[in-house]
């Protein structure tokens, strides 16, 4: 038997396995009446959830949303921390807030120190420049934009038809 004959014999079998797998994920997995074994039913439920999650992940283009949220969060983290530090400084709790931020990022002390230092610098520049109002407006806009973007993405993922107002 040469290689071509052997390949011809295996290809129908390979097609049969592919058809069987496709049938399982298209039809069999969704029919609970066919399965009486509790363990198999549990496995089917798990596969169903994975199928639905995977299908929605690609249909709703969630990778795009994840990248968008990551990008916006990275760009808005310093203004967000600056606003929190400004409010806590106004109430006399700036040291406590900085310690809380260091505790939250305890596994990344260098990052926490950098964010705090950068946020304080950002806050000082926003409050001491000739364009004080403009700096504060830009800082508030970036924080509100981050919150709005996160809500928009979550509304899209969870199929919320009417978004909430800003207030």
């Amino acid at each position: 038997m040469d290689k071509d004959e052997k390949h011809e014999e295996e290809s129908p079998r390979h097609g049969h396995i592919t058809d069987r797998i496709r049938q399982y994920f298209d039809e069999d997995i969704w029919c609970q009446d066919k399965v009486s074994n509790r363990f198999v039913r549990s496995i089917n439920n798990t596969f169903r959830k994975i199928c639905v999650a995977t299908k929605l992940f690609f249909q709703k283009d969630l990778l795009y949303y994840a990248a968008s949220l990551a990008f916006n969060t990275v760009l808005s983290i310093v203004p967000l921390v600056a606003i929190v530090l400004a409010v806590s400084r106004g109430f006399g709790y700036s040291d406590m807030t900085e310690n809380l931020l260091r505790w939250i990022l305890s596994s990344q002390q260098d990052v926490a120190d950098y964010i705090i230092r950068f946020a304080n610098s950002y806050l000082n520049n926003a409050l001491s420049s000739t364009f004080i109002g403009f700096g504060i407006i830009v800082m508030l806009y970036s924080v509100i934009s981050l919150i709005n973007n996160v809500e928009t993405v979550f509304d899209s993922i969870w199929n919320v038809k009417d978004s909430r107002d800003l207030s």
Side-chain angles (χ1 to χ4, degrees), residues 110-130:
D110 293 337
V111 173
D113 291 338
Y114 182 76
I115 288 174
I116 291 170
R117 189 172 52 248
F118 201 63
N120 282 325
S121 170
Y122 186 83
L123 193 57
N124 290 336
N125 287 335
L127 297 177
S128 67
S129 71
T130 56

Side-chain angles (χ1 to χ4, degrees), residues 1 3-17:
M1 178 184 295
K3 291 181 183 178
D4 292 334
E5 290 175 14
K6 187 177 180 182
H7 181 68
E8 288 176 12
E9 287 179 12
E10 290 178 6
S11 57
R13 182 175 178 218
H14 181 267
H16 178 69
I17 291 172

